[in-house]
Amino acid sequence: MSETARLTVDGKTFELPIVVGSEGERAIDISRLRRQTGLVTLDPGFVNTANCRSAITFVDGERGVLRYRGIPVEQLAEHSTFVETTYLLINGRLPTQEQLNQFSVLLNDHSMVHEDMRAFFEHYPRSAHPMGILSSMVNALRAFYPKIPERSQEEEINITVTRLLSKVRTMAAMSYKIFRGHRVVLPRHDLTYAANFLNMMFDSPVRPYIIDEEAVTALNIFWILHADHEQNCSTSAVRLVGSARVNLYAAISAGICALWGPLHGGANQAVVEMLNQIHEAGGDLEPFLARARDRNDPFRLMGFGHRVYKTYDPRGRIMKEVCHRILGKITRKDPLLEIAQRLEEVALKDPYFIDHNLYPNIDFYSGILLRALGIPLNMFTVMFAIGRLPGWISQWKESFEDPDWKISRPRQIYVGPQKQDYVPMKDR
Ligand code: SDX
């Protein structure tokens, strides 16, 4: 007999089923609440609301646990590659060597971008933010690669997924080169996914890029750590837009726009801007900590806090280790790493941060790693988007195949004026 919750309203008691997840999480199923009681629930920001059952990613915010299809992210960061983790997220299991080879060949075959898109990039305003460019270009992919009626729905989805995974990386590097007035570097068949991206970004006829295996490993780990995070803001945007049965390119473009926000994926850029401000102000942390503690000040300590993690973000811990490894190898000291470490030390002992369960999140150290890899500041969130793409796709596919699927359409509580008549202009 499944558990129920009792709700008593206007003297009547209703039994609501309790749903239990595979890790013991429990939810009150309110899918029939309005029909039974005439009531809806109110939950700004969906802080207490689950919008789906999902088998993709498990996050335990109290214990700092993150698993993709049951595998701890620490093990994937240590043993896997971004392409293999992408296969795991989208297909629900680790690939055999043959499956991985086939997947890599497919990604290679679809890594070029339609030549007409180059004109698109070339005429985009130079002041545009790379996230705005990326969301436009991803949305444009449907126009350049229209649906082919003869293809089955499954074939159409598989080729669209492969195109997105492979071309987003090429488009990001392409826009970087074009915006600097440099010649576009095409993807190479003999390079792996991450090495290809670094080569497309940094190779030039006068200074050939030498593949740095340490940097390739660091980039794989960076993208693995960003690959999915259950129902975050941008994934929820992909699911919501996708629920209208629009094409996948458009749903992903919506996810890119949501991720652009400084409270979400844009935080990695905002963290480095904040650390730069502290550095340029002489390195004194207190003025920034005082603003963060001040409830009347909208300033937030970027890279700290999380809707779900109420302890150290496990991804932030791994990112910090990779920063030290990469910077140690490059031997170029980054003053921002020293400031970030001091800020972390002070904040973790500060009563305000302790009381509010504010710990470094994934964005706190990721920007320092991207700096060490030579990625320009305004492309930091694009790097997050490339990493999150397999997560968005896997979550979209799960909702697309969900037998309980409905178009997402939340209710509201109306608090506006009651009925009133139109007032002619002469009487206003
Ligand atoms: C990502 O959801 C995901 O999974 C996202 C993500 C993913 O992988 O997809 O993990 C990626 O987006 C990480 C978060 C990156 N954002 C930042 O680093 C921006 C700074 N962080 C904050 O804006 C904030 O912590 C959020 C947005 C991340 C979470 O905000 P919540 O859960 O809505 O919490 P809140 O804003 O209601 O804050 C609760 C309290 C408030 O104080 P009180 O009014 O209760 O006294 O905590 C305070 C806030 O003022 N607070 C902070 C703070 N974060 C929360 N105070 C100072 N600095 C901060 N960073």
Side-chain angles (χ1 to χ4, degrees):
M1 170 69 177
S2 64
E3 239 186 308
T4 60
R6 282 220 183 94
L7 176 67
T8 301
V9 175
D10 303 334
K12 280 181 74 178
T13 299
F14 301 91
E15 301 271 330
L16 298 170
I18 288 185
V19 174
V20 184
S22 49
E23 287 289 339
E25 295 163 297
R26 301 194 307 161
I28 299 172
D29 180 347
I30 58 168
S31 49
R32 301 169 56 79
L33 181 71
R34 192 166 188 277
R35 202 176 309 161
Q36 284 176 308
T37 69
L39 294 169
V40 295
T41 58
L42 179 61
D43 185 19
F46 308 116
V47 178
N48 306 285
T49 299
N51 71 341
C52 64
R53 291 177 172 83
S54 179
I56 298 170
T57 291
F58 174 65
V59 176
D60 179 332
E62 278 67 34
R63 294 190 297 133
V65 171
L66 171 59
R67 301 183 198 132
Y68 298 157
R69 302 287 187 179
I71 301 176
V73 74
E74 293 84 352
Q75 294 182 23
L76 291 165
E78 189 177 347
H79 303 298
S80 188
T81 64
F82 178 57
V83 169
E84 183 182 71
T85 296
T86 293
Y87 187 101
L88 167 70
L89 283 167
I90 293 175
N91 298 289
R93 65 190 180 287
L94 288 167
T96 61
Q97 189 57 60
E98 189 193 345
Q99 288 168 331
L100 186 59
N101 294 344
Q102 280 172 0
F103 188 46
S104 300
V105 165
L106 266 178
L107 290 175
N108 173 69
D109 293 350
H110 289 282
S111 55
M112 298 283 282
V113 169
H114 196 296
E115 276 301 303
D116 291 356
M117 280 198 104
R118 195 177 296 214
F120 211 150
F121 280 103
E122 280 157 1
H123 297 286
Y124 215 97
R126 286 291 179 266
S127 58
H129 190 284
M131 283 296 274
I133 299 167
L134 187 65
S135 64
S136 307
M137 295 305 161
V138 164
N139 213 359
L141 284 173
R142 171 85 301 167
F144 285 98
Y145 301 96
K147 188 177 166 66
I148 296 183
E150 299 73 40
R151 275 203 197 110
S152 72
Q153 188 175 76
E154 188 185 355
E155 284 167 336
E156 182 63 28
I157 289 174
N158 289 340
I159 193 156
T160 302
V161 166
T162 311
R163 279 195 186 115
L164 273 164
L165 290 167
S166 195
K167 294 182 193 305
V168 163
R169 164 200 48 171
T170 308
M171 293 196 294
M174 204 170 156
S175 71
Y176 171 69
K177 285 292 198 189
I178 289 173
F179 272 44
R180 286 162 64 90
H182 293 183
R183 194 182 68 166
V184 169
V185 174
L186 296 178
R188 282 172 36 182
H189 66 84
D190 59 329
L191 293 179
T192 60
Y193 190 94
N196 234 327
F197 174 77
L198 291 170
N199 188 62
M200 287 190 278
M201 284 287 289
F202 303 122
D203 189 42
S204 106
V206 293
R207 181 176 296 187
Y209 177 68
I210 311 296
I211 304 294
D212 172 348
E213 286 312 326
E214 189 80 34
V216 171
T217 303
L219 186 50
N220 269 295
I221 295 173
F222 176 92
W223 277 336
I224 287 170
L225 296 178
H226 284 84
D228 192 49
H229 212 244
E230 54 135 288
Q231 306 310 315
N232 58 84
C233 178
S234 53
T235 298
S236 300
V238 170
R239 278 182 173 259
L240 188 136
V241 169
S243 76
R245 289 297 186 252
V246 74
N247 69 78
L248 178 55
Y249 298 114
I252 296 298
S253 176
I256 294 169
C257 292
L259 188 73
W260 192 356
L263 294 188
H264 189 14
N268 57 15
Q269 177 175 340
V271 166
V272 168
E273 286 164 346
M274 177 186 73
L275 294 173
N276 257 327
Q277 276 181 337
I278 295 172
H279 180 54
E280 282 157 14
D284 182 6
L285 304 177
E286 191 42 39
F288 294 84
L289 290 165
R291 288 193 61 195
R293 297 184 199 102
D294 179 356
R295 293 190 68 173
N296 301 316
D297 188 332
F299 174 81
R300 290 279 194 277
L301 203 67
M302 289 289 124
F304 268 78
H306 198 276
R307 172 63 58 79
V308 176
Y309 288 122
K310 299 310 170 191
T311 182
Y312 213 113
D313 183 334
R315 304 166 297 176
R317 208 186 293 284
I318 299 169
M319 199 71 79
K320 183 179 175 182
E321 285 161 19
V322 178
C323 275
H324 280 288
R325 200 165 55 208
I326 273 281
L327 285 166
K329 184 193 176 284
I330 292 175
T331 66
R332 174 163 51 82
K333 279 232 170 296
D334 184 347
L336 301 193
L337 179 58
E338 183 273 329
I339 291 174
Q341 282 174 285
R342 272 195 303 121
L343 193 52
E344 176 188 348
E345 247 168 73
V346 171
L348 293 185
K349 294 184 194 119
D350 182 296
Y352 173 86
F353 287 82
I354 294 169
D355 295 349
H356 286 81
N357 293 313
L358 300 177
Y359 292 83
N361 57 48
I362 185 165
D363 293 304
F364 190 60
Y365 284 101
S366 60
I368 293 164
L369 174 58
L370 292 173
R371 271 161 63 93
L373 295 175
I375 306 293
L377 180 63
N378 70 354
M379 276 190 68
F380 282 9
T381 311
V382 167
M383 298 299 284
F384 191 147
I386 297 172
R388 185 51 53 86
L389 189 54
W392 286 332
I393 290 171
S394 57
Q395 297 274 351
W396 172 86
K397 271 189 81 189
E398 185 176 68
S399 70
F400 191 82
E401 292 155 1
D402 182 349
D404 294 339
W405 163 79
K406 287 189 182 314
I407 187 168
S408 294
R409 200 267 184 230
R411 306 299 293 243
Q412 64 164 21
I413 295 296
Y414 175 71
V415 292
Q418 295 188 333
K419 185 175 179 299
Q420 55 182 335
D421 294 328
Y422 178 79
V423 179
M425 186 59 81
K426 66 179 176 52
D427 299 335
R428 286 180 202 167

